[in-house]
Amino acid sequence: MSAVAVPTSAKEARKKRILFKCALTNTISDVLANREGWAPTLNDDWNFFGNDFELTRKDFLIKNYKKARKAKEKSGVDVTNEFSFIPSSYVLPTEYHLFVEEFRKYPAETIWIMKPVAGAQGKGIFLFRKLKHVQDWKKKDASGSEALPYVVQSYIANPYLVGGKKFDVRLYVLVTSFRPLNAWVHREGFARFSHSRYSTDSVDDAFVHLTNVAVAKTAADYDPERGLKWSLPKLFRFFRSMHGHSKVSKMMEDLAKVIIESLRSVHHIIIQDSHCFELYGYDILFDENLKPWLLEVNASPSLTASSQEDFELKYRVLNHMLDVLDIEKKLLGNETEIGGFDILIRNNKPVEKNRMPNHNNSNFIPTLNLRLGDYVEQTPMP
């Protein structure tokens, strides 16, 4: 979801209601309708306009990641350890020959995954081991059309499993400005599980390898009441019970760096408009070593609820987003926490928090201000 906000002065905000227009009919329209002091308008006198735009594509993410990685490498950074959060990736067909060279360096049983650059809900994704499967895709179809652009990536074959199932995590990152870079991360989100238990015996079973709800819903035994999601508090309680607080804290720090570096890789080329913001949906996969991998960044994260619990979560995220945007001019401007959002980057600089010292260390240890899974709603839903 992307939207445009036109700020009013504090004096103007006190005199009149906030007027909004919304081209969407999902959770955001419910949030706006229940917002105190806000009212819909059909004219062009709006203070807030919600709409849907495709600003982020998988091929752009890969291109900018590679540029940032190369710049880091030239500056002396060990990119293998310090800047490695996207698997080996190529954009096809433009980088087809580079991909073939890379493909031949890997063992024969290596799995690769193909994703349409502008796809959604798991459509068009497929896995393969043999190069001929890509060559078949690359050929022109009967109509003579060129092959559609895809991103091909080495498949993360050692995903962290819960109950034998693969999952990824959806996080909500709100960027209120790119120059200077200001970004907030909501403490809530969810883990999405595959429908079937994980196995690499077959690369053709989408129920095994994909975590998209749109894919799982097509299974004959899919249970919409039970669903295939965990809340972040539940997921992080599980992580801590299995690995302890120290290792999970390290994972959280690594994850914060993924968000920061991914935004830094594009902030200089995003068109800056002081009236605009963007709510991104980050999709993260953890491997069995708890290393976070960035799968994609959605400029239009789904705001359509799949259950009552899902609706309540997305409602809170969107309501808190409006609190951060502060069209009503209620904030001081130095807040580090608003609703479920914590500021991670302010004026281009990462924001730190203090962690309590352990028994071997009398000093406070600064850590990045990411607090996933640590939110309790204080007020009831309207």
Side-chain angles (χ1 to χ4, degrees):
M1 194 279 292
S2 67
V4 178
V6 177
T8 59
S9 69
K11 185 176 180 180
E12 289 174 331
R14 284 194 296 269
K15 285 183 177 179
K16 64 179 184 180
R17 295 176 299 175
I18 302 297
L19 302 179
F20 69 86
K21 287 179 73 173
C22 186
L24 308 173
T25 57
N26 49 33
T27 312
I28 184 61
S29 58
D30 294 319
V31 172
L32 294 171
N34 290 315
R35 188 90 176 169
E36 184 178 356
W38 288 49
T41 181
L42 298 177
N43 302 316
D44 292 330
D45 55 346
W46 46 265
N47 306 104
F48 177 96
F49 183 29
N51 208 336
D52 216 357
F53 295 96
E54 184 61 40
L55 298 180
T56 301
R57 301 198 327 175
K58 298 176 183 69
D59 52 344
F60 296 161
L61 174 64
I62 298 304
K63 177 188 69 174
N64 292 309
Y65 169 79
K66 287 183 176 180
K67 284 183 178 179
R69 183 179 168 92
K70 185 174 292 186
K72 291 275 188 182
E73 193 170 23
K74 286 183 178 179
S75 68
V77 173
D78 180 3
V79 293
T80 301
N81 294 318
E82 299 297 327
F83 199 84
S84 178
F85 53 84
I86 293 181
S88 181
S89 307
Y90 294 88
V91 180
L92 305 185
T94 56
E95 294 184 321
Y96 177 74
H97 295 293
L98 291 174
F99 163 64
V100 171
E101 290 181 16
E102 182 76 6
F103 178 90
R104 289 170 176 161
K105 297 176 184 178
Y106 284 72
E109 289 303 303
T110 300
I111 300 174
W112 298 81
I113 184 167
M114 291 275 285
K115 306 174 184 178
V117 298
Q121 299 183 329
K123 296 176 182 177
I125 296 177
F126 65 93
L127 281 65
F128 65 93
R129 286 191 174 98
K130 299 184 182 299
L131 193 59
K132 68 177 183 179
H133 294 148
V134 181
Q135 292 169 336
D136 290 341
W137 158 84
K138 187 172 178 287
K139 294 176 182 176
K140 293 182 179 180
D141 62 23
S143 67
S145 300
E146 293 289 344
L148 294 174
Y150 265 67
V151 164
V152 59
Q153 297 178 314
S154 57
Y155 187 63
I156 299 170
N158 64 332
Y160 195 105
L161 304 179
V162 176
K165 291 186 176 182
K166 178 182 173 181
F167 67 94
D168 65 9
V169 172
R170 166 61 58 85
L171 307 178
Y172 294 101
V173 178
L174 173 62
V175 178
T176 55
S177 168
F178 272 100
R179 285 188 295 279
L181 185 58
N182 294 310
W184 302 70
V185 183
H186 204 276
R187 299 186 186 191
E188 294 192 274
F190 51 85
R192 303 176 297 189
F193 288 83
S194 61
H195 178 269
S196 303
R197 294 174 67 87
Y198 182 74
S199 170
T200 57
D201 293 342
S202 170
V203 296
D204 299 322
D205 193 340
F207 296 139
V208 170
H209 297 285
L210 302 185
T211 61
N212 308 75
V213 175
V215 172
K217 287 196 302 186
T218 64
D221 58 345
Y222 175 73
D223 184 354
E225 295 299 323
R226 184 179 180 185
L228 293 167
K229 290 183 178 180
W230 270 12
S231 67
L232 285 195
K234 184 174 183 178
L235 177 66
F236 278 88
R237 283 198 302 270
F238 174 83
F239 279 152
R240 291 186 180 97
S241 69
M242 297 296 293
H243 304 284
H245 286 266
S246 178
K247 191 163 186 177
V248 174
S249 294
K250 172 62 167 58
M251 178 192 72
M252 195 86 77
E253 192 80 356
D254 292 341
L255 181 53
K257 291 177 182 178
V258 169
I259 297 171
I260 292 169
E261 293 297 344
S262 62
L263 291 175
R264 281 177 170 173
S265 72
V266 300
H267 83 96
H268 61 291
I269 60 174
I270 297 290
I271 297 174
Q272 173 67 20
D273 188 326
S274 61
H275 294 163
C276 296
F277 65 91
E278 187 64 55
L279 179 67
Y280 291 108
Y282 269 62
D283 290 343
I284 302 290
L285 183 142
F286 296 101
D287 66 21
E288 59 189 14
N289 299 312
L290 289 184
K291 174 181 170 65
W293 295 90
L294 179 58
L295 300 181
E296 62 181 289
V297 180
N298 299 275
S300 305
S302 173
L303 299 176
T304 301
S306 58
S307 66
Q308 181 61 29
E309 183 180 4
D310 194 41
F311 170 78
E312 292 177 1
L313 182 152
K314 291 175 178 177
Y315 190 102
R316 286 192 295 271
V317 170
L318 292 169
N319 205 32
H320 296 161
M321 176 190 75
L322 295 177
D323 290 337
V324 174
L325 297 178
D326 190 32
I327 299 176
E328 302 94 334
K329 302 298 179 184
K330 296 179 178 179
L331 303 179
L332 298 175
N334 59 353
E335 291 83 359
T336 59
E337 173 189 345
I338 300 174
F341 277 103
D342 297 293
I343 192 161
L344 182 61
I345 310 172
R346 172 172 278 155
N347 294 329
N348 298 322
K349 297 180 180 179
V351 177
E352 295 180 335
K353 61 180 179 179
N354 286 327
R355 186 172 62 193
M356 292 297 293
N358 57 36
H359 62 280
N360 295 322
N361 193 337
S362 60
N363 297 320
F364 286 95
I365 304 171
T367 58
L368 293 168
N369 193 33
L370 190 66
R371 305 168 187 262
L372 296 176
D374 183 21
Y375 178 75
V376 177
E377 178 67 5
Q378 301 297 323
T379 56
M381 292 280 293

